[in-house]
Amino acid sequence: MPTNNERAGRGRVLLQIYAENFGDPMDDTANVTDILADLMHFAHRQSEPGLNFNRRLEMAKMHFEEELLEEVSR
């Protein structure tokens, strides 16, 4: 199971890839916003109801909070 530092590192890699290919390498704030908006557009265009962006975002928030709690309890 990855640590939260490893998860953060994966997020950094994804952000760098996005910034280098589509965004502004100097503006992490804009890139995070743009990634989320692009994912919303992607989910909106899918026919599968399980890709409802708001539901996935809520699930991601729950995972994030649980992972933070796991780190504190170690």
Side-chain angles (χ1 to χ4, degrees):
M1 176 173 280
T3 66
N4 289 340
N5 281 338
E6 291 168 333
R7 291 179 180 107
R10 293 188 315 211
R12 167 57 57 197
V13 169
L14 292 171
L15 189 61
Q16 287 173 332
I17 291 168
Y18 186 92
E20 291 169 4
N21 289 280
F22 309 109
D24 178 351
M26 305 304 291
D27 192 346
D28 285 347
T29 301
N31 291 326
V32 168
T33 301
D34 290 345
I35 288 169
L36 292 171
D38 287 355
L39 288 171
M40 290 173 80
H41 285 292
F42 172 77
H44 178 75
R45 300 240 183 304
Q46 301 308 302
S47 59
E48 183 182 336
L51 282 177
N52 177 290
F53 182 83
N54 289 328
R55 287 187 192 139
R56 298 304 96 210
L57 184 58
E58 287 304 314
M59 182 65 71
K61 287 178 186 178
M62 288 177 12
H63 286 202
F64 172 75
E65 290 167 3
E66 289 172 12
E67 291 159 357
L68 288 180
L69 290 174
E70 282 177 12
E71 186 175 66
V72 170
S73 66
R74 286 185 198 169

